[in-house]
């Protein structure tokens, strides 16, 4: 899959229809952020009001005066530029796909592409870290348009392989961050739950806004298997043969509990938890989530 396919025109159009460029990134994304000062403020002209004594004469709109013969000043409102980091799980399990369509990794790249587009077009810098047992690669945050291509080009060259240590990698990331940032984590979370939740909490308590995109294959959620099936653990190679029909009910209970644990723990820590599977059109999954956050704001 080439990089252009990760950011389809129809996805961009959906995002634009929601007016996400201005309304969501600046206001919606930042709802719930800590009140700590963020670096890199810009101002945007919002409206006029009548000049009153004490106003800075530099703010007088002389064009408005020429038209109305009255003094008006431009009213400005501050916009906060936030630095975003995409944190991408590169473990072997992310390469899994049951129907040989989008792998979990491909699906995560689609989401990352759309989010990169949104942030760059709002002039918010966004960077990338990839991780397995530790952080393996990183791109410094930038807000230039070529950053979209930089991020997608790197991701398109990578192959998910090997084991993962999400908790250790997120702890490394937290140590890298110098200012309060928006951290977007993409992972199937197929590892011990407690250390990951502890690492996510440390990120949040460090003043960062955290969004956890939990990406599973549709088969990992729905369990469509029948009869005697052999499964192989992608990171260790260990094999297990089971009766899928007899195992289905217990499995579905376990996967529901797995997701619910993350949902509950993230909610309690002020982290956004977004459960996804590869059967969901990634553009719809993203835009529905963004709209939900915007309404909450």
């Amino acid at each position: 899959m080439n990089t252009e396919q990760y950011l389809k025109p129809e996805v961009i159009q959906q995002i634009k229809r929601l007016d996400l460029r201005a309304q969501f990134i600046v206001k919606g994304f930042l709802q719930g952020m800590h009140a700590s000062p963020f670096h890199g403020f810009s101002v945007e002209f919002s409206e006029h009001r009548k000049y009153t004594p004490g106003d800075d004469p530099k703010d007088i709109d002389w064009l408005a005066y020429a038209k109305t013969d009255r003094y008006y000043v431009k009213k400005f409102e501050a916009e906060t530029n936030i630095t975003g980091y995409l944190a991408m799980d590169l473990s072997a399990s992310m390469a899994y796909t049951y129907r040989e369509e989008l792998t979990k990794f491909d699906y995560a790249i689609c989401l990352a592409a759309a989010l990169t587009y949104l942030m760059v077009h709002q002039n918010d810098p966004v960077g990338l870290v990839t991780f397995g047992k530790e952080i393996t690669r990183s791109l410094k945050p930038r807000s230039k348009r070529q950053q979209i291509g930089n991020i997608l080009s790197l991701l398109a060259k990578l192959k998910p392989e090997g084991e993962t240590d999400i908790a250790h990698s997120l702890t490394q990331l937290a140590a890298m961050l110098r200012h309060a940032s928006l951290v977007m984590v993409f992972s199937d979370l197929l590892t011990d739950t407690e250390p990951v939740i502890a690492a996510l909490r440390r990120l949040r308590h460090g003043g960062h806004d955290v969004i956890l995109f939990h990406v599973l294959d549709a088969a990992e959620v729905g369990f469509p298997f029948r009869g005697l099936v052999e499964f192989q653990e992608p990171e260790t190679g260990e094999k297990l043969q089971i009766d899928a029909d007899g195992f289905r009910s217990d499995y579905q209970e376990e996967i529901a509990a797995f997701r619910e644990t993350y949902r509950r723990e993230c909610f309690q820590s002020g982290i956004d938890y977004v459960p996804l599977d590869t059967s969901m059109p990634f553009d719809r999954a993203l835009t529905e989530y963004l709209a939900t956050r915007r309404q909450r704001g």
Side-chain angles (χ1 to χ4, degrees):
M1 183 179 285
N2 60 38
T3 57
E4 287 77 12
Q5 288 178 282
Y6 288 124
L7 197 56
K8 299 173 184 177
E10 60 267 27
V11 181
I12 295 173
Q13 288 307 314
Q14 278 194 291
I15 290 168
K16 284 181 176 176
R17 281 200 297 275
L18 281 173
D19 194 22
L20 295 175
R21 268 186 61 188
Q23 298 302 316
F24 174 74
I25 289 293
V26 175
K27 297 184 175 71
F29 238 29
L30 299 179
Q31 291 297 333
M33 292 292 264
H34 285 247
S36 53
F38 293 97
H39 295 263
F41 286 90
S42 61
V43 292
E44 180 184 73
F45 170 66
S46 63
E47 58 182 311
H48 287 97
R49 63 173 173 77
K50 288 182 179 179
Y51 176 85
T52 56
D55 286 334
D56 192 332
K58 292 194 304 244
D59 291 336
I60 292 175
D61 187 334
W62 295 107
L63 188 61
Y65 172 76
K67 291 179 178 178
T68 65
D69 203 30
R70 294 182 180 179
Y71 293 110
Y72 288 92
V73 294
K74 295 177 181 179
K75 184 179 173 186
F76 293 87
E77 62 178 21
E79 285 187 4
T80 307
N81 285 97
I82 188 67
T83 298
Y85 287 87
L86 306 162
M88 190 72 64
D89 184 351
L90 271 186
S91 59
S93 62
M94 290 291 286
Y96 176 73
T97 174
Y98 173 57
R99 298 197 182 280
E100 297 189 7
E101 295 172 354
L102 280 183
T103 67
K104 290 181 281 185
F105 183 62
D106 285 333
Y107 190 93
I109 292 178
C110 291
L111 291 173
L115 289 163
T116 301
Y117 172 88
L118 286 171
M119 295 199 72
V120 166
H121 281 263
Q122 190 54 50
N123 296 317
D124 289 317
V126 59
L128 169 73
V129 296
T130 62
F131 63 88
K133 295 195 78 170
E134 60 184 5
I135 289 177
T136 53
R137 289 175 178 81
S138 65
L139 281 177
K140 288 183 178 179
R142 300 190 189 283
S143 56
K144 302 292 185 185
R145 181 167 176 81
Q146 58 261 40
Q147 184 73 342
I148 302 172
N150 294 342
I151 287 174
L152 295 186
S153 293
L154 175 57
L155 290 173
K157 294 172 188 170
L158 299 177
K159 180 183 177 183
E161 56 189 358
E163 298 180 27
T164 189
D165 189 335
I166 302 171
H168 174 64
S169 300
L170 293 180
T171 301
Q172 280 186 303
L173 176 58
M176 287 169 52
L177 302 180
R178 294 288 171 261
H179 308 298
S181 302
L182 173 63
V183 179
M184 296 160 277
V185 182
F186 303 83
S187 175
D188 55 14
L189 302 174
L190 297 181
T191 186
D192 292 338
T193 301
E194 288 187 14
V196 177
I197 289 172
L200 288 165
R201 281 183 184 146
R202 281 194 293 272
L203 265 174
R204 187 70 179 106
H205 293 163
H208 307 293
D209 200 19
V210 182
I211 306 174
L212 178 59
F213 291 100
H214 187 185
V215 182
L216 293 172
D217 188 80
E220 291 173 325
V221 176
F223 204 76
F225 309 100
R226 294 285 184 271
L228 204 60
V229 182
E230 183 177 85
F231 293 98
Q232 182 172 343
E233 212 288 328
E235 294 179 23
T236 65
E238 183 181 348
K239 294 182 179 180
L240 177 68
Q241 197 172 66
I242 63 166
D243 171 18
D245 298 296
F247 187 65
R248 180 172 297 102
S249 179
D250 288 344
Y251 174 86
Q252 289 174 334
E253 283 183 19
E254 284 294 319
I255 204 76
F258 174 47
R259 289 170 129 188
E260 173 58 22
T261 296
Y262 271 104
R263 188 206 62 78
R264 181 182 65 249
E265 297 294 334
C266 287
F267 177 78
Q268 290 175 356
S269 298
I271 294 167
D272 272 0
Y273 172 65
V274 188
L276 301 167
D277 72 67
T278 55
S279 70
M280 300 172 66
F282 75 90
D283 47 352
R284 193 190 73 194
L286 177 68
T287 51
E288 285 182 1
Y289 164 66
L290 300 185
T292 300
R293 260 195 82 131
R294 187 175 160 196
Q295 289 164 6
R296 268 211 323 262

